[in-house]
Amino acid sequence: MIIRCCDTEDLQGLLDLYRELRPHDPTLKQHDAQQAWHKLLANPGIKIIVAEIDGVLASTCQLSICQTLTNAAKPFGIIEHVITAEAYRRRGLSEKVIERALDIAWEENCYKVMLLSGESRTAAHKLYEKIGFQSGIERGFVIKPDLG
């Protein structure tokens, strides 16, 4: 198993993982996926960490590092899109990719890292707490655009 940041050849493997995470998302056209992928890879504040097993992307999470002027101008991190493929679950892969994301965040001098998770994903919440995330310190709120 290899834990690493994504590179240009990982697009299809990542899309396969995301299809498991969000099966109802619309399918991206190849051109649109390529454009978005190049933007993600070119952004120094975004790291997509993967666990690779025998050439297959088995698990991933995305770390976004956000610059700020508060907290002595130290950035903060946000972890999103945590998924392990069904065939590779129960091996600690999500924990490993999140821990690598945290290592990167601390190397970048982040003063905190936040992680949002679906309210009903209690098994995932137990994993996040095992890693050291705590609920009840701050309260998260989400707004999405009205599409209808």
Side-chain angles (χ1 to χ4, degrees):
M1 172 186 27
I2 300 168
I3 305 296
R4 62 176 176 80
C5 289
C6 276
D7 58 38
T8 55
E9 291 79 36
D10 291 325
L11 176 58
Q12 190 55 55
L14 197 61
L15 290 173
D16 291 344
L17 281 169
Y18 288 162
R19 201 168 359 271
E20 284 195 48
L21 177 65
R22 301 180 56 94
H24 303 296
D25 274 4
T27 302
L28 280 174
K29 294 178 184 170
Q30 188 64 25
H31 177 264
D32 295 339
Q34 286 286 342
Q35 279 191 320
W37 184 233
H38 289 298
K39 284 181 184 177
L40 282 168
L41 291 177
N43 185 332
I46 295 177
K47 305 292 182 198
I48 300 174
I49 297 92
V50 294
E52 178 185 335
I53 298 177
D54 298 326
V56 175
L57 298 189
S59 184
T60 188
C61 73
Q62 179 173 323
L63 169 67
S64 299
I65 298 173
C66 305
Q67 298 300 318
T68 184
L69 290 172
T70 63
N71 291 284
K74 291 183 177 182
F76 60 90
I78 302 171
I79 293 177
E80 277 274 328
H81 308 129
V82 179
I83 181 68
T84 296
E86 178 97 31
Y88 295 94
R89 291 187 182 155
R90 310 270 184 263
R91 299 185 193 186
L93 298 178
S94 288
E95 184 174 355
K96 288 181 182 353
V97 296
I98 292 170
E99 287 173 344
R100 180 63 187 122
L102 289 171
D103 288 344
I104 293 168
W106 306 146
E107 289 166 11
E108 293 292 327
N109 206 26
C110 288
Y111 76 92
K112 72 177 177 181
V113 175
M114 299 174 282
L115 185 151
L116 288 176
S117 178
E119 189 70 31
S120 64
R121 299 187 66 220
T122 54
H125 301 166
K126 288 178 185 175
L127 167 67
Y128 304 147
E129 289 169 345
K130 176 184 173 192
I131 293 169
F133 286 91
Q134 298 175 25
S135 62
I137 295 175
E138 296 181 14
R139 188 168 183 173
F141 294 86
V142 176
I143 190 169
K144 296 183 178 185
D146 182 7
L147 300 175

